[in-house]
Amino acid sequence: MSEKTKVILDVDTGSDDAIAMMLALLCPRLEVLGITTVNGNLPVSNTTENTLRVVELLNAQIPVYLGCAAPLVSELLPQRHLRSAPLSVVTNGKTVCYHREYLTELPAATTKPQPRSAVCYLIDTLLASQGDITIVAVAPLTNLAVAMRADPRIVKKIKRLVIMGGGHLQSNVTSAAEFNFWKDPEAAQIVLQSGCDILLVPLDATHRAYAGAAESRFLRQLHTPVGDVAASLLDFSIEAYNAMEPLDCAPANTAPLHDALAVCAVIEPQVLGNVQFRRVDVDFSGGVCDGMAVIDRRMCTDKPANVHIALDCDRERFIRLLLDTLASAK
Ligand code: BDR
Ligand code: CA
């Protein structure tokens, strides 16, 4: 049997982060060494509690490390974040949002995060490694940027960095930007320019990694705790996308599972399509393009490529791997 791929997950759980964690923790081809949390979809105390809840659901003995509580600098200028699309709306007297404060389908966590911070954990673990750890970052990149600034030696120790973030022809939180990059644009730029081997999974790919009623029914019919929770998270996301963000590249009554696609890309890289090696920079000038991933697609360019970026995905393959893996839970 071939060796498992060692991974560290960096999350801001979060509905789709929770499904991504389930995929990673249940997949026999991955060895999840640890999970770091960060401020993003919710404050870091919430993303950490939600992460612990999912780890406990899976009975996994995986350490969770509390990460950065705020972006590097973007929140020092509050007007910078005023242009974003609403993250919740009230329809028929009911509040619909992308990510609830807590994953209420799961009981409060009984475990605690580790005493060491996420940044220290990343530095210590990477420096002590054989250069064989893949990092899957599906949240604002604050932890990684701080770790790289604090000890740049980690850059060469990261085998591959798979990031869910950015978009080329797709955006979500503003007309220009994707949420994870927009939330901490300086961190995103630091990480993209670090020299790491980076695979970027942007909205162009994740918006095609959607799931809907058929997938939700399949999950419920498993009659397992994992199946029930995943179905409930998916139904919740579908309601949010219907109310706030119907997509032009997906049918109605579906929701994209952004973060799970990034995990899937580690397990089965062929799930990604149209992968190009390009120069990608993140705008952090505070204007209308704040947080935007700028992809240089010119044939002749003076800047070296820094990122493999996937502009498409094989949805059927993704859904098959996701459902088969979630179905393997007892
Ligand atoms: C990203 O933003 C978050 O809301 C999701 O969890 C995903 O990581 C998509 O833009
Ligand atoms: Ca996320």
Side-chain angles (χ1 to χ4, degrees):
M1 208 179 114
S2 61
E3 256 183 44
K4 293 182 179 209
T5 303
K6 292 181 184 169
V7 298
I8 294 174
L9 303 177
D10 190 48
V11 298
D12 59 339
T13 322
S15 314
D16 64 318
D17 303 70
I19 294 178
M21 282 176 61
M22 292 180 194
L23 174 60
L25 295 177
L26 286 166
C27 178
R29 287 184 261 166
L30 300 185
E31 179 186 355
V32 181
L33 302 177
I35 304 178
T36 53
T37 63
V38 71
N39 166 67
N41 289 319
L42 300 160
V44 72
S45 55
N46 298 65
T47 65
T48 306
E49 165 67 18
N50 287 334
T51 300
L52 290 166
R53 289 184 187 191
V54 178
V55 170
E56 289 183 18
L57 166 74
L58 295 163
N59 270 322
Q61 308 302 315
I62 310 285
V64 173
Y65 297 85
L66 183 80
C68 296
L72 296 184
V73 296
S74 60
E75 286 180 2
L76 298 179
L77 294 170
Q79 70 276 18
R80 256 178 104 178
H81 278 175
L82 289 181
R83 286 192 200 88
S84 73
L87 299 176
S88 67
V89 289
V90 179
T91 31
N92 303 326
K94 185 182 171 199
T95 303
V96 180
C97 54
Y98 292 107
H99 306 280
R100 285 153 297 161
E101 277 190 316
Y102 293 107
L103 302 180
T104 48
E105 43 283 277
L106 289 169
T110 58
T111 49
K112 297 254 174 286
Q114 300 294 310
R116 223 179 341 163
S117 73
V119 170
C120 292
Y121 166 71
L122 285 167
I123 294 172
D124 294 348
T125 309
L126 288 164
L127 289 184
S129 77
Q130 303 297 313
D132 56 351
I133 299 174
T134 297
I135 297 190
V136 189
V138 294
L141 293 167
T142 322
N143 288 337
L144 277 165
V146 173
M148 286 175 178
R149 283 293 199 244
D151 198 329
R153 291 175 299 168
I154 66 168
V155 166
K156 287 212 163 36
K157 286 287 198 166
I158 298 173
K159 183 179 171 201
R160 185 156 235 209
L161 176 51
V162 180
I163 297 172
M164 189 286 125
H168 178 44
L169 299 177
Q170 300 276 321
S171 67
N172 56 13
V173 71
T174 70
S175 54
E178 178 280 331
F179 179 82
N180 289 338
F181 280 11
W182 169 86
K183 188 80 180 166
D184 196 343
E186 285 81 5
Q189 177 68 350
I190 288 170
V191 171
L192 293 197
Q193 308 318 324
S194 65
C196 253
D197 176 3
I198 294 177
L199 174 62
L200 190 59
V201 184
L203 294 176
D204 307 74
T206 67
H207 276 172
R208 293 183 168 86
Y210 55 83
E215 288 74 32
S216 172
R217 230 176 2 256
F218 173 92
L219 290 165
R220 279 201 200 280
Q221 283 168 4
L222 295 172
H223 299 297
T224 61
V226 164
D228 287 346
V229 173
S232 163
L233 293 168
L234 174 56
D235 292 346
F236 184 83
S237 293
I238 292 171
E239 196 178 16
Y241 274 84
N242 276 343
M244 291 184 281
E245 199 188 339
L247 300 175
D248 60 3
C249 54
N253 299 315
T254 62
L257 299 176
H258 307 280
D259 297 349
L261 183 65
V263 170
C264 191
V266 180
I267 306 167
E268 279 186 17
Q270 309 90 320
V271 77
L272 299 177
N274 194 3
V275 180
Q276 307 188 4
F277 190 40
R278 296 284 177 189
R279 175 75 189 192
V280 182
D281 288 282
V282 180
D283 180 77
F284 53 92
S285 57
V288 286
C289 294
D290 204 29
M292 178 180 175
V294 182
I295 296 142
D296 192 344
R297 298 192 71 179
R298 294 173 296 171
M299 296 302 284
C300 284
T301 170
D302 51 342
K303 287 183 157 185
N306 56 343
V307 161
H308 287 90
I309 180 167
L311 296 174
D312 202 355
C313 86
D314 180 341
R315 176 179 179 268
E316 268 182 36
R317 190 168 188 149
F318 165 67
I319 293 292
R320 203 178 323 122
L321 180 83
L322 178 71
L323 296 185
D324 286 353
T325 308
L326 297 195
S328 69
K330 302 282 173 277

